[in-house]
Amino acid sequence: MNLPKANFKFKFTPSPKNYFYLVLFGAFVFLGLRLVFRGSDRPAEAPVTKEEVLSECLKFSQNIFPSQSVRQLSVNLGVKMIEQKNYGLARKVLQEVLAVEPSNVSILNNLAYISGELGEWGAAFNYLKTAIQVDENCSECHNNLGTVYYKEGRFEEAEKEYHLAAKLNPKYVDPRISLAVLAEGKGEWQTAMDWYKEASKLTPDLELLKSVQQRQVWMAEIVGANRNVAGETK
């Protein structure tokens, strides 16, 4: 059969944010805006930059919160900026936290994520290797390292990392889809079908689920056709 090429992205997964601190940070953004304008000679129509708001609200928070809480506010801002694809500001914020917490696995993983999105695979590799040295059970880190290897054409090493990520987190969809696509590339149709089947049970994204299930059906058709051919040649 003429099988369409799999168009799944070999994903990087950012570390999640703490929603309590994100809501808290929202309040500081409001205060930051007020502080930027208070007693200012700035023209009313002059735009306020994100950097100014960040600076003011973090200065304010440092006066009333413990340093750990302030760092968590920064982390959540960084993740929010990643979601908005503002990678420059996200990197700046997260690197400031990393300078204080050089063994923070979530920060290292998120900086690797930013580097990957910018195509800076060498930097992404270094961040991820450091993160895995700190926590060898970080499933997102292994998944993302697999993606770095894939982008560099190191497919066996990519497969090894995806397997490890899937093993560490039985509910992690991304490495399972990546393993399915890698198996397709090698003509291992049964293996690909099995990985797609696992992924279809885990993904909450209906659009992605539809694509995965379609792929699973195609793999099943190929497996069935190959079995019929094998039976006829006996």
Side-chain angles (χ1 to χ4, degrees):
M1 64 181 291
N2 186 16
L3 183 69
K5 184 178 179 180
N7 61 355
F8 300 109
K9 181 180 179 182
F10 286 74
K11 287 189 176 179
F12 255 61
T13 310
S15 299
K17 53 185 171 290
N18 182 309
Y19 283 94
F20 168 77
Y21 285 109
L22 186 59
V23 171
L24 192 59
F25 185 78
F28 282 123
V29 168
F30 174 75
L31 290 172
L33 284 167
R34 292 189 64 184
L35 289 167
V36 166
F37 282 105
R38 188 178 65 188
S40 173
D41 294 328
R42 175 197 301 271
E45 66 276 8
V48 179
T49 67
K50 291 177 180 177
E51 287 79 5
E52 287 178 297
V53 175
L54 168 65
S55 176
E56 292 296 337
C57 63
L58 289 182
K59 284 178 186 176
F60 183 79
S61 63
Q62 286 169 353
N63 293 327
I64 61 174
F65 279 98
S67 59
Q68 182 64 35
S69 299
V70 174
R71 287 198 294 275
Q72 187 61 58
L73 288 171
S74 299
V75 169
N76 282 280
L77 175 67
V79 175
K80 189 64 177 177
M81 291 301 98
I82 288 174
E83 292 174 351
Q84 296 178 357
K85 301 187 184 301
N86 189 335
Y87 299 127
L89 180 56
R91 172 180 279 172
K92 177 181 177 182
V93 170
L94 296 178
Q95 283 178 335
E96 288 178 358
V97 179
L98 187 66
V100 180
E101 300 180 15
S103 298
N104 188 314
V105 173
S106 293
I107 300 298
L108 289 163
N109 182 55
N110 282 333
L111 284 167
Y113 178 89
I114 293 169
S115 299
E117 289 295 294
L118 295 174
E120 299 171 359
W121 301 110
F125 177 85
N126 291 333
Y127 282 127
L128 291 168
K129 291 297 284 187
T130 301
I132 290 171
Q133 287 175 358
V134 176
D135 181 7
E136 63 183 11
N137 294 319
C138 175
S139 58
E140 292 90 353
C141 298
H142 285 289
N143 175 77
N144 295 345
L145 183 57
T147 297
V148 172
Y149 284 139
Y150 176 82
K151 293 293 184 179
E152 293 179 342
R154 299 161 65 178
F155 301 125
E156 290 185 7
E157 291 163 289
E159 185 174 5
K160 179 181 176 181
E161 293 298 328
Y162 287 136
H163 270 290
L164 187 50
K167 180 180 179 180
L168 288 169
N169 187 346
K171 296 184 179 180
Y172 195 2
V173 176
D174 294 346
R176 287 166 168 79
I177 293 177
S178 296
L179 285 165
V181 176
L182 286 173
E184 273 196 60
K186 295 189 291 184
E188 298 175 355
W189 313 115
Q190 180 67 55
T191 300
M193 184 179 72
D194 291 342
W195 282 118
Y196 281 131
K197 184 177 180 180
E198 278 198 36
S200 69
K201 295 177 182 178
L202 298 172
T203 178
D205 185 323
L206 294 180
E207 201 62 36
L208 177 60
L209 176 61
K210 181 179 178 181
S211 298
V212 168
Q213 289 177 332
Q214 180 62 73
R215 214 74 197 170
Q216 184 182 338
V217 169
W218 284 333
M219 295 303 102
E221 290 177 357
I222 294 174
V223 169
N226 287 345
R227 286 174 179 168
N228 290 335
V229 171
E232 292 173 0
T233 56
K234 287 183 179 180

